Amino acid sequence: MNEIFDDSTLTEVAHLICGDEPPLIYRKGYEVAAFFERAGWDDVPEYDGTPRPKWAWELLKERQEDGTDDAERAILRLANRIEYYSQQKEYHVTLKRLNEVLMLDGRRVAHEGGHPVLAHCEAGFEDEVRQLPRVELKVSVADVVSDPELAATVQLRLDEARTCDEHGAYTSAVIMLGSLLEGVLAHAADVRTAVVRMPKPLQKMGLNDFVDFAYENKWIEHDAKLASGLVRHYRNLVHPLAEKRTGHSPNRDTLNMCWPVVNATLNDLAATASPVPSPRPAPADRGRDGNPAASAQRPTPASVARRHPGRGV
């Protein structure tokens, strides 16, 4: 039976193959095609000028949908030391990042007889992600969401997640965090000026699309992008059949791993938000005698917004 990988996993694998971030090995378009051939693919098309990560992802997804094991072949080639020869630093960095990606999809690279193989690792998945650094929430929802009505809704999700945490309802808490994460990223995609164009209409984008879009526009950092797959993975357990297939129910450790992801994303979005220009002061009212009339200063929404302390994790 062929291994089936999540779209987000294939997206990250495509980026690793293209190697745009040092010290990964950078591959030009024709070199990406040659890589697939070395991985044992048949009938690899010529590079057509599409942005390389998108082109590589489309090929990986197309081969998987065709029922071949070519996606697995590409992953194992990426993990094969023979692909690197004297570039051992690049090999170790690639393997480390590849395992970080695969573990979010319940796999990891193992070695048998000196050759890379894929192994399933539900326990290893959690053990690795548990090493995520502690991240405190340093901002309020109002710092991230400019729409007051939406900000109130997002704050409610955050409060409900805390309530679920306190009462041991870990699955519900994770689902709340996933909903919150998608909400703030969708808002950013809707109101911010983007350098990279949106890949599809806003209404048709999902959490994974919003995460990629935010990262490509430098609104969130790489750690938040990568770890967000964890929240998305467990958010999908809103469907009981998904939980049955996974064979794992969220517990306190799961929730403690998801909080830093949400905190880091909110912190990043606040740090990259465009500053709101200060309004010009209104001219003072003048009476019949020409003297300025003292006018009471009305509090602004920002001045009365209740800031919520960060949740320790």
Side-chain angles (χ1 to χ4, degrees):
M1 179 178 178
N2 296 331
E3 294 279 353
I4 303 298
F5 300 95
D6 189 88
D7 279 358
S8 60
T9 300
L10 296 181
T11 299
E12 291 298 323
V13 169
H15 280 284
L16 289 174
I17 292 171
C18 294
D20 288 336
E21 298 178 12
L24 301 175
I25 294 178
Y26 179 87
R27 296 181 176 89
K28 298 179 180 179
Y30 72 89
E31 292 173 326
V32 173
F35 171 88
F36 287 136
E37 291 176 348
R38 292 194 299 274
W41 286 26
D42 296 325
D43 302 321
V44 178
E46 291 185 5
Y47 176 59
D48 61 5
T50 302
R52 293 171 302 109
K54 182 176 185 293
W55 186 71
W57 173 80
E58 289 175 345
L59 287 180
L60 289 165
K61 185 171 176 60
E62 177 184 315
R63 296 294 175 113
Q64 178 166 278
E65 291 175 347
D66 288 344
T68 72
D69 60 355
D70 283 353
E72 180 180 352
R73 290 172 183 266
I75 289 171
L76 294 179
R77 183 68 190 187
L78 200 56
N80 197 326
R81 192 183 293 269
I82 200 172
E83 181 70 21
Y84 302 86
Y85 288 107
S86 60
Q87 299 166 303
Q88 292 306 298
K89 177 182 179 181
E90 290 81 354
Y91 165 73
H92 290 296
V93 171
T94 302
L95 184 61
K96 180 177 182 295
R97 293 192 185 180
L98 180 61
N99 269 329
E100 289 173 349
V101 171
L102 291 175
M103 284 177 178
L104 294 174
D105 210 352
R107 281 93 152 180
R108 64 179 176 84
V109 174
H111 287 82
E112 294 181 0
H115 299 287
V117 295
L118 285 180
H120 288 263
C121 60
E122 288 297 335
F125 160 55
E126 287 199 359
D127 290 341
E128 284 290 325
V129 180
R130 193 175 289 119
Q131 302 304 315
L132 286 171
R134 292 168 57 89
V135 180
E136 300 292 342
L137 182 60
K138 301 176 182 178
V139 299
S140 70
V141 170
D143 294 325
V144 179
V145 181
S146 58
D147 179 349
E149 185 176 352
L150 179 60
T153 301
V154 171
Q155 183 63 55
L156 181 61
R157 296 285 192 275
L158 187 59
D159 294 341
E160 287 189 3
R162 289 170 177 149
T163 301
C164 292
D165 183 8
E166 292 169 0
H167 292 82
Y170 303 120
T171 300
S172 298
V174 171
I175 292 172
M176 284 294 101
L177 290 181
S179 171
L180 181 159
L181 194 63
E182 183 165 350
V184 296
L185 290 172
H187 175 70
D190 188 32
V191 303
R192 295 193 181 193
T193 301
V195 177
V196 179
R197 295 181 61 182
M198 197 175 296
K200 60 181 76 170
L202 184 73
Q203 296 78 6
K204 295 185 178 181
M205 291 178 64
L207 178 54
N208 188 57
D209 298 315
F210 287 126
V211 169
D212 288 343
F213 186 61
Y215 175 69
E216 290 170 356
N217 283 285
K218 302 186 185 303
W219 299 337
I220 63 174
E221 297 183 1
H222 186 267
D223 55 354
K225 174 185 183 297
L226 181 62
S228 65
L230 173 71
V231 177
R232 183 184 52 77
H233 172 82
Y234 281 109
R235 192 279 304 268
N236 289 340
L237 298 187
V238 66
H239 306 290
L241 288 178
E243 183 171 334
K244 178 182 177 181
R245 287 194 299 269
T246 303
H248 173 72
S249 299
N251 52 31
R252 178 170 290 281
D253 285 341
T254 308
L255 186 56
N256 285 343
M257 291 185 290
C258 291
W259 277 112
V261 180
V262 174
N263 290 348
T265 303
L266 292 174
N267 290 341
D268 287 351
L269 288 173
T272 56
S274 299
V276 178
S278 301
R280 294 181 178 179
D285 294 333
R286 294 181 177 272
R288 292 182 180 179
D289 57 359
N291 293 326
S295 58
Q297 291 185 344
R298 296 180 180 276
T300 65
S303 69
V304 299
R306 177 168 60 92
R307 297 179 66 86
H308 296 270
R311 181 196 184 282
V313 291

